[in-house]
Amino acid sequence: MLTVGIVGAGPAGLSAARLLQETGRARAIIFEKEERVGGKSFSTPRYGTVHDIGTCYSTMAHAATNRWMKELQIEQRGIDRQMVDGAPVMRYIMGGQPFTTASETLRFFKAWKIQMRAFDERPDAPEVREAAAMPVGAWIDAHGFPSMRRYMQRGLTNMGYGYLDETPTAQALRWCSPSLLISGALKRIKAPEKGWQSFWERLSQSLDVRLGQPVNEIRRGNDRIDIVTPAGATRVDALLIAAPLDELKSAMSMTAAEQRVIDAVKWDRLAASLASIAGWRRNDDIVIHEEALKPGAAPGVLLSSRVAGPPPKRKDRHGKRFFMCFQYGGMLSTEALAEKLRYDVERRGGYLDHIAMQKVWRFAPRYDADALRDGLMSQMRAMQGDQRTWYTGATFSFEAVSNIVEFNRVLAPDMVNRLEPMRR
């Protein structure tokens, strides 16, 4: 049986290991520098419930993780009311023109399918490269999709994946798919009852995960790879990098292709704060603020907030409740982000009592437009398997768990099929 060494026990590494296991032809050893699994799927138990402070939702596109949750008997609860300021999210997307929006949605589905097929089948065609590099807002406007612009502001920008004037079409369309729009329209947005981290912990129980083992060195040869951690060296048949590639620069000699990817990617920062707020709202699960969705919004402006966990049995005498609040981090310090959050809460009628936990994630890697025009997508495909090394995670698919797992669903059997002849 083939042995694959995986660097990183976040959603990318764990899902790849599970999918390799499901082939019945390979096993994985996962090396994780932290003392926990889950990566940005981070959940914290506070005040009688569990709060997701990283990965939040599942949709119809989360086919594999939904299946695994069902197998593990993990219940998911629906996310009911989603508002953009004072309007239900679907009313905001439709802009008061439901029939026009329905027609536009069908045209969007067709355009999306054609464009994604072009990215897949003709990535080196000049017009396809240009479309890949185009900001998705320009792509939307070129097709005449005003409602889909609002859909992407909610689905892309609000989720921390970037503004429409800067996120390349090649990346934005991976997430803003027909299945995402249908999930929202049918109210099929859910979250695991005990948090995403608990799910990954349950899934990892059948896997070989070595926590607290940072990778100090990777030695790549023609017929073997040695992964060196504080516990010693482990020899494997192949390497799968599920951590950000630049985090391994000190551990291995980078190829020209690997360095090209590192140079072509810019990481954003997303702040997630679990905040106790008094005098605030209401029964809406999620409230999004339109001013923060538009290109040019200042870093730190409150993107959205959601009631953190199930509603309490009763409010305390001060009327305080916990909310998860999200902001683009920019270059702001954690203190500056907290002050901006306090200001935005107060001007919306609340009082920020305290922040119980704040995480500022390195988030949503964005491709350089010139690199896309120079063929970055083809180059990233071509480097898979070179020196017995494969790549997954947010850089190579997209930040969303559904995209990462779907990417791995194709990658895992391809790895096995290409590696098995090498062992004969």
Side-chain angles (χ1 to χ4, degrees):
M1 182 174 284
L2 295 164
T3 301
V4 178
I6 299 179
V7 181
L14 294 172
S15 62
R18 175 59 181 258
L19 290 161
L20 285 166
Q21 183 185 72
E22 289 181 354
T23 69
R25 297 147 65 192
R27 72 182 189 96
I29 303 172
I30 309 170
F31 302 92
E32 171 54 53
K33 65 182 179 180
E34 304 290 342
E35 294 290 348
R36 67 172 187 90
V37 301
K40 281 174 271 193
S41 290
F42 177 76
S43 309
T44 180
R46 300 254 175 161
Y47 314 104
T49 189
V50 175
H51 309 282
D52 278 321
I53 200 165
T55 307
C56 300
Y57 315 123
S58 67
T59 70
M60 293 167 62
H62 290 69
T65 54
N66 287 339
R67 172 171 64 86
W68 292 332
M69 286 184 195
K70 187 174 181 180
E71 291 173 2
L72 293 169
Q73 298 183 324
I74 293 174
E75 296 293 330
Q76 297 194 72
R77 64 179 181 87
I79 305 296
D80 294 325
R81 287 175 59 85
Q82 301 180 56
M83 310 290 284
V84 178
D85 292 324
V89 68
M90 290 308 298
R91 186 185 302 170
Y92 165 76
I93 290 172
M94 290 186 293
Q97 301 182 64
F99 296 109
T100 301
T101 300
S103 173
E104 181 185 322
T105 300
L106 294 176
R107 291 190 294 112
F108 169 75
F109 287 179
K110 182 178 180 180
W112 180 91
K113 183 176 181 180
I114 291 170
Q115 190 65 74
M116 294 302 289
R117 181 177 295 171
F119 289 153
D120 185 52
E121 298 176 357
R122 299 185 294 112
D124 288 323
E127 70 276 11
V128 176
R129 289 187 181 184
E130 186 59 41
M134 179 185 300
V136 72
W139 185 89
I140 292 168
D141 292 344
H143 285 81
F145 293 151
S147 294
M148 294 303 100
R149 170 176 279 275
R150 292 188 291 273
Y151 156 59
M152 287 198 180
Q153 285 176 333
R154 187 270 175 261
L156 188 81
T157 303
N158 174 66
M159 297 297 289
Y161 300 145
Y163 289 95
L164 304 193
D165 66 337
E166 62 185 14
T167 306
T169 297
Q171 292 179 285
L173 293 189
R174 290 174 181 173
W175 168 242
C176 290
S177 65
S179 65
L180 178 64
L181 182 56
I182 293 170
S183 295
L186 298 181
K187 297 186 177 181
R188 296 285 297 276
I189 310 293
K190 299 181 179 181
E193 287 281 5
K194 296 184 179 180
W196 272 92
Q197 185 176 328
S198 176
F199 160 67
W200 291 117
E201 288 171 350
R202 293 275 303 278
L203 192 78
S204 70
Q205 289 175 3
S206 64
L207 304 172
D208 185 350
V209 184
R210 303 181 184 183
L211 299 176
Q213 293 298 309
V215 173
N216 297 328
E217 184 182 5
I218 295 173
R219 299 192 288 262
R220 296 186 282 191
N222 292 329
D223 58 355
R224 53 95 183 114
I225 291 176
D226 291 323
I227 300 175
V228 183
T229 70
T234 303
R235 180 157 292 185
V236 295
D237 296 305
L239 171 68
L240 177 59
I241 298 175
L245 190 53
D246 61 343
E247 293 184 3
L248 293 176
K249 289 187 71 172
S250 64
M252 68 182 191
S253 177
M254 292 287 165
T255 67
E258 289 168 340
Q259 188 60 52
R260 194 156 46 237
V261 170
I262 291 171
D263 293 341
V265 168
K266 177 183 178 182
W267 289 83
D268 285 328
R269 295 169 74 239
L270 183 70
S273 301
L274 177 61
S276 171
I277 300 175
W280 233 18
R281 56 172 215 256
R282 71 212 164 224
N283 296 318
D284 305 327
D285 281 340
I286 301 168
V287 170
I288 302 160
H289 303 293
E290 185 178 9
E291 67 173 5
L293 303 181
K294 296 179 179 179
V301 173
L302 180 61
L303 271 173
S304 64
S305 61
R306 74 170 189 269
V307 175
K313 292 181 180 178
R314 61 183 179 84
K315 297 179 181 179
D316 65 24
R317 62 190 180 91
H318 299 293
K320 291 181 288 189
R321 293 185 68 177
F322 279 93
F323 296 84
M324 279 301 311
C325 302
F326 297 91
Q327 306 157 276
Y328 280 104
M331 299 300 292
L332 298 177
S333 67
T334 54
E335 293 80 9
L337 287 165
E339 281 305 308
K340 282 187 170 286
L341 177 59
R342 184 182 304 277
Y343 171 78
D344 274 352
V345 167
E346 289 183 357
R347 72 188 179 95
R348 290 183 170 86
Y351 171 74
L352 181 60
D353 179 62
H354 72 279
I355 294 177
M357 178 172 284
Q358 182 192 63
K359 286 279 189 180
V360 182
W361 299 110
R362 193 173 184 232
F363 205 73
R366 185 169 69 251
Y367 299 152
D368 177 76
D370 288 336
L372 285 167
R373 293 187 182 97
D374 289 340
L376 179 65
M377 290 195 300
S378 294
Q379 294 159 13
M380 292 174 76
R381 291 184 194 180
M383 62 193 286
Q384 296 281 9
D386 183 43
Q387 296 194 63
R388 292 176 175 253
T389 305
W390 278 259
Y391 312 85
T392 185
T395 300
F396 284 80
S397 56
F398 190 72
E399 185 71 67
V401 168
S402 59
N403 292 89
I404 288 170
V405 177
E406 178 61 20
F407 183 86
N408 287 340
R409 188 187 64 80
V410 176
L411 184 72
D414 178 68
M415 286 185 68
V416 174
N417 290 337
R418 292 175 62 182
L419 282 166
E420 282 183 331
M422 298 180 189
R423 299 191 67 189
R424 294 171 187 161

